[in-house]
Amino acid sequence: MSDRRAESALSDQFESVEQQHGADLFGMWIFLATEVMFFGGLLVAYAVYRHAYPHGFDLASHRLSVVFGTVDTAVLLCSSLTMVLAVRALRLGQRLPSIALLLATATLGCGFLVLHGTEYYHEWQEHLVPGRYFQFEGPHLTEAQLFFWLYFALTGLHSFHVIIGVVLMLVLAASVFERRLDAERYIALEVSGLYWHFVDIVWVFLFPLLYLIGLR
Amino acid sequence: MSAPIVAIKVYLKVWGALLLLLALTVAAAYVPMGEFHLPVALAISVTKAFLIVFVFMEIKWGGRLLHLAAIAALLWLAIFFVLTFNDYLTRDLPSALVR
Amino acid sequence: MSYLTKQTLRSWFFATDHKRIGILYLITILFFFTIASVAAAMMRIELITPQGDFVTNETYNKLFTLHGVLMVWFFLIPSIPAVLGNFVLPLMLGARDVAFPRLNLLSWYIFIAGGTLALWSLLHGGVDTGWTFYTPYSSTYANGHVVSMAMGIFVAGLSSILTGLNFIVTTHKMRAPGLTWFRLPLFVWSLYATALIMVLATPVLAITLGLVCLERFWGVGIFDPRLGGDPVLFQHLFWFYSHPAVYIMILPGMGVVSELITCFARKRVFGYSWIACSSMAIALLGFVVWGHHMFVTSQSVFAGIVFSLLSYMVSVPSAIKVFNWTATLHKGSITFDTPMLYALGFIGLFTIGGLTGLFLAALGFDVHVTDTYFVVAHFHYIMVGGMVMAFMGGLHFWWPKITGRTFPELTGKIAAWTTFLGFNLTFFPQFILGYLGMPRRYHAYPPEFQFFHVLSTAGASILAVGYFMPFCYLLWSLKWGSVATSNPWKATGLEWQTPSPPPEHNFAEVPTVLNGPYDYDAAKNTFCPQTEEGYV
């Protein structure tokens, strides 16, 4: 029985499970490198405009809630913990704890989305969404609108990645439940964990860059 | 050769460190630092990122290849920033942009 | 039982075999090449007379945009990597397939999706921004289906990224025993360098086009001067990708040429490690020169000087390759088979294109010829005189392996010469036109330019014949060409150690590599394949 499972774990094109494991990990790291460049383009734009309009960005950033931002970050950091524990549990053959930890990760991810969605709602109400209804007191209206455009683009792109991550966690939880993944075949979990941690790292940078400008 | 299974304590310690660093990030934002705010904030974020990459993502066990992928990403991002700012920092215009 | 034996629709549309995916890509890119060629034909017909009398201004703008977008993203960038690379890379490595075969198929599906979006945009009236989508025109003022076209490119870019990822992992992880890095065929080195660019540059294109779409959707954005935005920032973001992209559109061609020159001169490549390392150098240096597309913008003069200097540096590795190919030919035993004709054509035409790139890297000269036909001629010499010729050469070289048939050699030679002559007649006059001041993207011009335009259009019709001929005889060969042996060109690579066409999993047993590539002896007229003990 374990022979058949071990066999089905090895795809045709590979000679050994080690080779496949190594290829899968390397493939995901390359994908994360592409994501760094993807976010990177937007960060370059952010950097150029922050450098050009420091005062406007200061004032605009004050309108973001530091409390919400801090809780957002804490939630994601916790979700990285549950993720890494989920992989560990599966490698130790602890099927149900692994599923629970995956669901916890997904829940924390959803928590982040709910919190952030609430922020978006407040920003919409306060006329901080760029476009026809944008309002901002003071002489730096255009600069503030630029800041908020970048804020929504960066956090929106990030949230989109979180949504994909949450869906991924649910699919993985189902796979572990149906025993398609186990202590011998856990690479999908490991590789998804890498993705999740990356999404966390992006937020770790976005938080101070967007929420904590010019606070003193 | 897979990474060895890490004790839960290690993960918890790193998680604790990350939350502490988060507190530090917020606190530092309120301390008057002049133009050092950005470098300090980035330095703390980089520390958090290192903890996540080295402990949670276990990059050490992947071998040189994974290190290369990570370094390449950072290097290329650096090239992008440096050469773009090479333009914006050397323009004659007062606000460095269109106006 | 070859990989072609099963012939159901299902076996093609759900193929995870890299060889079939290569053929799927071939058919797809030919489709887009045809549409883009029709656009070019219409442009050249318009340009026969100085008046804009064949199409309206707006239509002409849409034609050159369509031509550029389809040729760059839906023909050239996938061409050698996704067709020849997909087919040949695992064979050259002694592998059974790429690292991620299902991802490979997904890449093709995604490419089709991107193409469909681009076609949708075309059928609804198209886009007139030029393939470069400069803001604020594209982001604010353009009418037309910018978003669908940009999204089509975005999606095709994702396909490119996944192919690059697959090739990098495959090259690192799936080489046969004994196949060290410096025993790899130079085509593999070039595909690897190309894959690095695909993976690191394309995401920036994706975000840039995404930002343009977001700006159109929201009505405001970061490239809008009314908000204090800088339209030139778009150009930085765009060219950060698009300059390395042109190296995606030449490096694989250089790899093919290395394979062809050594085989048809029956001589080991001169300076193997120099050529291998120069591919990597081009991939790296290609990322630091993008500002040379922006010399006449508000980019600072200092940045212009830096980019100009770096642009001179990036020409060095390319020149190294040309010197090494030439040295390989020296005292070789050269036969002028069809693939070799294309390879030799490449060397001459790429050299002209490359040299004129140096002219353009000089700030003063560039200001004079920016946005003129000089630039158009420069990049067509490289992309068409270079890359497309290399693609044709590679296609003819590996045709027997891919299909198990040989093509008629004399017809092949005639087509190669027709292409070469037609190409030069089309594009050389354009250097002169540009230098004399003819702007690009204009369909009406002063009468003194007409002579060269007529020459160019005449050349284009000959070039069209040159491309149409292989399309006919290669298809013909599928049914009536003579059956190919496993190694008709007596080449040394691992791909020639399998039957023509290969079985589904390439090798019955994973081969062991005992020799360097290109163990040819011109004097004794012998060769030693990579699976036998030889010089390295």
Side-chain angles (χ1 to χ4, degrees), chain A residues 12-13 15 19 24 49 53 149, chain C residues 99-101 173 220 222 228 230:
Chain A
D12 274 346
Q13 68 273 18
E15 298 296 305
Q19 189 191 29
D24 289 344
Y49 288 123
Y53 307 123
W149 202 100
Chain C
F100 308 117
K173 295 285 185 185
V220 289
I222 59 171
D230 184 10

Side-chain angles (χ1 to χ4, degrees), chain C residues 186-206:
Chain C
L186 289 168
F187 186 46
V188 176
W189 277 100
S190 73
L191 285 173
Y192 182 79
T194 306
L196 282 178
I197 305 176
M198 280 171 155
V199 150
L200 290 167
T202 316
V204 176
L205 173 76

Side-chain angles (χ1 to χ4, degrees), chain A residues 5 15 43 62 131 140:
Chain A
R5 273 175 28 205
E15 298 296 305
L43 286 171
H62 282 192
H140 297 281

Side-chain angles (χ1 to χ4, degrees), chain C residues 13-199:
Chain C
F13 281 104
F14 295 98
T16 52
D17 183 344
H18 65 98
K19 302 185 286 299
R20 287 200 176 215
I21 294 176
I23 295 179
L24 289 172
Y25 268 106
L26 177 63
I27 299 170
T28 318
I29 66 171
L30 272 179
F31 171 71
F32 288 110
F33 179 77
T34 308
I35 302 177
S37 298
V38 168
M42 290 176 68
M43 287 159 63
R44 286 294 352 146
I45 292 173
E46 168 68 284
L47 290 167
I48 296 176
T49 59
Q51 301 82 17
D53 45 12
F54 184 53
V55 293
T56 62
N57 289 345
E58 205 182 86
T59 306
Y60 192 80
N61 295 347
K62 290 179 178 179
L63 284 174
F64 66 67
T65 304
L66 183 70
H67 176 75
V69 166
L70 290 185
M71 282 301 193
V72 167
W73 283 299
F74 293 93
F75 173 64
L76 276 170
I77 285 184
S79 62
I80 293 181
V83 176
L84 298 175
N86 253 321
F87 195 95
V88 168
L89 179 69
L91 288 169
M92 281 184 163
L93 297 179
R96 289 203 201 94
D97 208 311
V98 291
F100 308 117
R102 286 175 305 174
L103 193 68
N104 206 7
L105 180 63
L106 182 67
S107 282
W108 182 68
Y109 287 159
I110 292 176
F111 185 67
I112 296 283
T116 307
L117 278 167
L119 280 176
W120 191 94
S121 173
L122 165 65
L123 290 169
H124 284 82
V127 163
D128 62 351
T129 57
W131 79 278
T132 48
F133 289 97
Y134 278 3
T135 58
Y137 185 62
S138 66
S139 52
T140 309
Y141 303 102
N143 295 316
H145 293 269
V146 174
V147 172
S148 48
M149 188 65 92
M151 282 295 106
I153 299 167
F154 180 106
V155 170
L158 183 59
S159 160
S160 192
I161 291 173
L162 294 176
T163 299
L165 190 157
N166 226 332
F167 282 9
I168 293 175
V169 180
T170 306
T171 309
H172 274 276
K173 295 285 185 185
M174 296 177 73
R175 283 167 284 131
L179 190 53
T180 58
W181 281 89
F182 284 95
R183 280 178 170 177
L184 287 172
L186 289 168
F187 186 46
V188 176
W189 277 100
S190 73
L191 285 173
Y192 182 79
T194 306
L196 282 178
I197 305 176
M198 280 171 155
V199 150

Side-chain angles (χ1 to χ4, degrees), chain A residues 106-200:
Chain A
T107 309
L108 288 166
C110 284
F112 172 90
L113 291 168
V114 166
L115 283 169
H116 206 60
T118 314
E119 283 179 86
Y120 280 171
Y121 179 65
H122 287 165
E123 278 136 16
W124 166 255
Q125 290 215 298
E126 289 168 34
H127 300 283
L128 293 171
V129 174
R132 217 180 319 160
Y133 305 108
F134 186 81
Q135 283 171 24
F136 197 83
E137 278 127 38
H140 297 281
L141 176 106
T142 52
E143 298 169 14
Q145 194 169 180
L146 216 48
F147 171 85
F148 275 100
W149 202 100
L150 286 163
Y151 162 80
F152 280 105
L154 279 163
T155 58
L157 187 61
H158 176 261
S159 296
F160 175 69
H161 281 76
V162 173
I163 295 173
I164 293 180
V166 167
V167 170
L168 196 54
M169 295 305 136
L170 296 174
V171 167
L172 287 170
S175 296
V176 176
F177 183 74
E178 287 163 17
R179 297 181 198 276
R180 271 177 283 134
L181 297 174
D182 54 33
E184 270 100 52
R185 294 170 300 164
Y186 63 90
I187 186 69
L189 210 66
E190 194 174 345
V191 143
S192 305
L194 292 178
Y195 172 80
W196 188 261
H197 295 308
F198 171 78
V199 174
D200 190 9

Side-chain angles (χ1 to χ4, degrees), chain C residues 161-442:
Chain C
I161 291 173
L162 294 176
T163 299
L165 190 157
N166 226 332
F167 282 9
I168 293 175
V169 180
T170 306
T171 309
H172 274 276
K173 295 285 185 185
M174 296 177 73
R175 283 167 284 131
L179 190 53
T180 58
W181 281 89
F182 284 95
R183 280 178 170 177
L184 287 172
L186 289 168
F187 186 46
V188 176
W189 277 100
S190 73
L191 285 173
Y192 182 79
T194 306
L196 282 178
I197 305 176
M198 280 171 155
V199 150
L200 290 167
T202 316
V204 176
L205 173 76
I207 191 72
T208 308
L209 291 176
L211 293 179
V212 169
C213 291
L214 202 53
E215 187 158 334
R216 278 186 80 85
F217 172 69
W218 240 335
V220 289
I222 59 171
F223 303 124
D224 192 342
R226 295 172 299 188
L227 268 194
D230 184 10
V232 172
L233 177 63
F234 170 84
Q235 294 191 31
H236 275 298
L237 295 176
F238 178 81
W239 287 111
F240 179 85
Y241 160 79
S242 296
H243 189 82
V246 315
Y247 294 106
I248 299 178
M249 295 189 276
I250 195 59
L251 271 170
M254 292 167 153
V256 169
V257 167
S258 292
E259 299 294 323
L260 300 181
I261 294 286
T262 182
C263 177
F264 293 99
R266 311 308 293 167
K267 191 158 164 272
R268 199 174 304 160
V269 153
F270 186 92
Y272 168 91
S273 24
W274 284 91
I275 299 189
C277 295
S278 72
S279 293
M280 302 299 288
I282 291 173
L284 174 60
L285 285 171
F287 274 92
V288 298
V289 299
W290 79 81
H292 67 225
H293 298 270
M294 298 161 61
F295 283 154
V296 299
T297 66
S298 56
Q299 176 178 263
S300 74
V301 177
F302 179 77
I305 295 172
V306 168
F307 279 122
S308 173
L309 186 68
L310 290 168
S311 301
Y312 272 91
M313 281 168 57
V314 80
S315 67
V316 173
S318 294
I320 288 178
K321 285 185 198 267
V322 174
F323 295 146
N324 280 307
W325 290 324
T326 312
T328 308
L329 290 170
H330 178 61
K331 292 208 175 156
S333 170
I334 301 174
T335 52
F336 294 93
D337 295 272
T338 304
M340 184 59 150
L341 291 180
Y342 282 112
L344 293 172
F346 176 102
I347 297 179
L349 299 177
F350 169 73
T351 302
I352 295 175
L355 286 175
T356 51
L358 286 173
F359 292 19
L360 291 165
L363 269 163
F365 184 79
D366 185 84
V367 169
H368 178 71
V369 295
T370 289
D371 281 342
T372 67
Y373 263 80
F374 192 92
V375 180
V376 174
H378 157 72
F379 64 69
H380 280 93
Y381 260 80
I382 303 197
M383 299 204 288
V384 183
M387 185 70 158
V388 178
M389 290 211 105
F391 178 64
M392 294 299 249
L395 193 60
H396 283 74
F397 184 58
W398 282 298
W399 188 257
K401 181 60 55 187
I402 297 173
T403 61
R405 300 280 179 160
T406 55
F407 54 87
E409 178 60 32
L410 180 61
T411 323
K413 288 192 168 82
I414 294 173
W417 273 106
T418 311
T419 306
F420 182 80
L421 293 167
F423 171 83
N424 280 297
L425 188 58
T426 311
F427 290 106
F428 197 83
Q430 293 187 6
F431 277 125
I432 303 172
L433 273 172
Y435 185 71
L436 291 175
M438 169 76 201
R440 66 188 284 197
R441 297 174 169 171
Y442 276 45

